[in-house]
Amino acid sequence: QARSIIDDLVSGKETSTAVVKSIVDNYIALSQEETYAWQHEPETYIKKMDSENYNPDNIQPRATGIDLLICMVERDSSDCVAKVLTEMRKSLLLQPQMDPNVVLAKDSCYRAIGEVMAKVPDCIEPKGWFRNELRAMLASDLLARFPMSIMKARALWLTGIVVNQLPYRLWVQALELSIKNLHSDDGVVGLMAVTTLTALVSGAPSLLPPPPTMHTNAQTKHMPQHTQWRYQSS
């Protein structure tokens, strides 16, 4: 019966669009209590977010809403959920970016996209998204203070999600910008930067260029003297 309900949710575009928007707006969006904790008790806020991510028995509204989104994605052969979220993002980008209400709406939409990307990696092309938007958000001084800093923290979180899809050059930029944000005056941004750095470093081995080829004495014997020294002393 549960599977039948999910199938009904994703079978019609209008129905699935309404459900996705309702989840994003009513379940994933930050509450007043959370924005207060963000400003006054950043460690408490981060712990709450971690409990939602890693507690398999979590029945909090946001975690339940995200679970429902993912169930819809898994049952949706037409990628309707991903399309609705990308359309929501495009619409939000056309609105005043400094409006606190737009910031909160963007944060919940981008959180939903990040969660869905685990199932639909090309929901938004990761390399292009980092290059064209996330990178600028990480570097922007306009996002230094609350509530604008909400989007800087979200950009850090998303960078941690797309890290394995970034080429080496963009990975280096993400690393440098994350280190910069460790010193943010916003406690949540600083703590999120730590989490993102952990993801970046964990993904580093697959991104780093290969070590230089080691040459044997027989190979270096016929090289110019300065070239032999460079290999033999490495």
Side-chain angles (χ1 to χ4, degrees), residues 32-171:
Q32 290 184 352
E33 292 80 5
E34 288 168 336
T35 57
Y36 178 88
W38 185 303
Q39 297 174 81
H40 302 285
E41 301 172 357
E43 294 87 356
T44 300
Y45 172 85
I46 289 292
K47 286 180 181 178
K48 183 177 185 297
M49 294 299 104
D50 286 345
S51 72
E52 290 182 351
N53 291 333
Y54 303 116
N55 183 357
D57 299 320
N58 198 342
I59 56 172
Q60 298 179 63
R62 181 179 293 111
T64 303
I66 290 171
D67 285 345
L68 178 55
L69 271 184
I70 292 174
C71 284
M72 292 175 68
V73 168
E74 291 174 339
R75 304 288 295 179
D76 178 17
S77 60
S78 63
D79 291 340
C80 183
V81 173
K83 291 175 183 177
V84 171
L85 291 173
T86 53
E87 287 300 318
M88 291 178 69
R89 171 179 171 264
K90 290 178 182 177
S91 176
L92 287 165
L93 288 173
L94 297 176
Q95 299 183 37
Q97 299 300 290
M98 305 300 283
D99 184 328
N101 291 325
V102 174
V103 171
L104 291 172
K106 278 184 67 179
D107 177 66
S108 56
C109 177
Y110 283 35
R111 168 73 184 269
I113 291 173
E115 298 287 355
V116 167
M117 284 181 79
K119 297 293 182 181
V120 187
D122 57 351
C123 173
I124 295 181
E125 198 278 308
K127 182 171 65 175
W129 195 14
F130 180 82
R131 183 193 299 115
N132 299 328
E133 185 179 10
L134 300 181
R135 179 173 58 181
M137 291 166 67
L138 295 178
S140 175
D141 291 334
L142 295 176
L143 305 184
R145 296 185 180 277
F146 189 89
M148 300 305 301
S149 58
I150 290 174
M151 288 313 301
K152 189 177 285 286
R154 184 57 61 206
L156 284 163
W157 181 77
L158 287 165
T159 299
I161 288 176
V162 304
V163 58
N164 290 327
Q165 268 90 111
L166 296 181
Y168 178 68
R169 181 178 59 83
L170 293 182
W171 176 86

Side-chain angles (χ1 to χ4, degrees), residues 24-38:
V24 173
D25 294 339
N26 300 313
Y27 287 82
I28 298 179
L30 293 175
S31 66
Q32 290 184 352
E33 292 80 5
E34 288 168 336
T35 57
Y36 178 88
W38 185 303

